[in-house]
């Protein structure tokens, strides 16, 4: 799901008063399937013998998409997305990682964020779209309900009154701790201003021409 889609879904939740929930797919890639006839080999994982009894190097045939395979994410999508469409969801034409389903006054909106589902819904009462979908989700996949959403990778999500607020403060602090543990160097601050001092003159020149 794109960042713009996340902001759009947060705005939708705020404007319609929808609840937000996060579900996690456990070892998501391993729940995907390789393409029919697709054959992939790899070196033995750490802890396994790399040389066979005949003295020749051993290789393993991959049965399921795993982290590290270039196509693993794509295989996961091609397993999950058709299932969502079988459940009656309509895929967005502007972001293929977002889906929606409507029945009478009930509505369900999904955003797929790698191995997470960001779900917008009105009610979880028996017979609601959310209730039916969550049951089908548990029956088909290995998933964990992580309750009301508070964050997605690198994004903190909070509800403040009628607003849904997205922040990246924690992510920024993590970057600073990793790349500038002693704080931002003064030389960096002086040499990398947000804009050049002559920006107003450049804008005026651009407008006039």
């Amino acid at each position: 799901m794109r960042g713009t889609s996340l902001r759009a879904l947060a705005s939708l939740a705020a404007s319609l008063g929808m609840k937000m929930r996060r579900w996690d797919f456990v070892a998501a890639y391993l729940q995907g399937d390789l393409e029919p006839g697709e054959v992939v080999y790899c070196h033995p994982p750490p802890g396994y013998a790399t040389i066979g009894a005949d003295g020749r190097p051993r290789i393993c045939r991959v049965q399921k998409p795993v982290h590290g395979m270039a196509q693993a994410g794509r295989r996961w999508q091609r397993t999950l997305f058709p299932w969502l469409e079988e459940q009656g969801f309509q895929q967005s034409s502007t972001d293929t990682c977002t889906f929606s389903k409507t029945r009478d006054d009930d509505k369900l909106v999904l955003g797929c964020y790698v191995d997470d589902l960001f779900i917008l819904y009105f009610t979880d009462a028996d017979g609601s779209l959310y209730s039916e979908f969550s049951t089908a989700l548990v029956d088909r996949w290995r998933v964990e309900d992580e309750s009301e959403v508070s964050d997605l990778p690198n994004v903190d999500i909070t509800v403040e009154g009628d607003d849904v607020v997205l922040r990246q403060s924690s992510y920024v602090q993590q970057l600073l701790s990793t790349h500038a543990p002693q704080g931002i160097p003064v030389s960096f601050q002086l040499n990398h201003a947000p804009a050049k001092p002559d920006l107003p003159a450049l804008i005026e020149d651009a407008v006039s021409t």
Side-chain angles (χ1 to χ4, degrees):
M1 178 173 60
R2 301 171 183 167
T4 51
S5 298
L6 175 59
R7 293 194 293 271
L9 264 58
S11 177
L12 181 67
S15 61
L16 298 181
M18 301 182 77
K19 301 175 182 178
M20 300 177 294
R21 206 167 189 89
R22 174 178 174 175
W23 285 74
D24 175 67
F25 289 94
V26 179
Y29 286 179
L30 292 178
Q31 298 192 60
D33 296 311
L34 297 176
E35 293 287 300
E38 183 176 16
V39 178
V40 180
Y41 294 99
C42 69
H43 294 291
Y48 287 81
T50 57
I51 302 297
D54 58 357
R56 301 173 61 186
R58 299 182 65 185
I59 59 172
C60 302
R61 180 170 178 175
V62 176
Q63 299 294 323
K64 286 282 189 177
V66 294
H67 284 278
M69 286 177 52
Q71 66 269 48
R74 185 63 173 165
R75 298 296 175 266
W76 164 236
Q77 282 190 351
R78 288 187 175 181
T79 304
L80 174 64
F81 289 3
W83 180 82
L84 291 175
E85 292 177 330
E86 290 173 3
Q87 303 304 307
F89 285 91
Q90 182 176 357
Q91 189 175 41
S92 170
S93 59
T94 56
D95 185 345
T96 57
C97 292
T98 59
F99 297 79
S100 63
K101 182 177 181 179
T102 303
R103 184 176 65 200
D104 299 327
D105 294 332
D106 203 2
K107 189 177 186 67
L108 202 60
V109 183
L110 310 178
C112 302
Y113 210 84
V114 190
D115 58 354
D116 292 311
L117 273 184
F118 180 41
I119 305 179
L120 275 57
Y121 63 102
F122 284 117
T123 176
D124 58 359
D126 291 343
S128 65
L129 286 177
Y130 177 80
S131 176
E132 294 174 358
F133 176 67
S134 60
T135 299
L137 197 63
V138 172
D139 289 343
R140 172 60 178 85
W141 309 96
R142 290 179 57 211
V143 290
E144 292 181 352
D145 180 3
E146 299 193 345
S147 70
E148 293 184 6
V149 67
S150 60
D151 67 286
L152 287 172
N154 302 329
V155 181
D156 298 323
I157 304 173
T158 57
V159 178
E160 300 179 3
D162 295 330
D163 300 326
V164 176
V165 181
L166 307 181
R167 295 186 175 91
Q168 290 190 291
S169 305
S170 300
Y171 178 56
V172 171
Q173 289 301 321
Q174 178 184 347
L175 290 177
L176 289 175
S177 298
T178 302
H179 301 287
Q182 305 301 321
I184 302 176
V186 175
S187 59
F188 185 89
Q189 298 181 44
L190 294 176
N191 295 332
H192 295 77
K196 294 183 177 180
D198 59 345
L199 179 61
L202 293 175
I203 294 177
E204 183 177 351
D205 180 63
V207 173
S208 62
T209 56

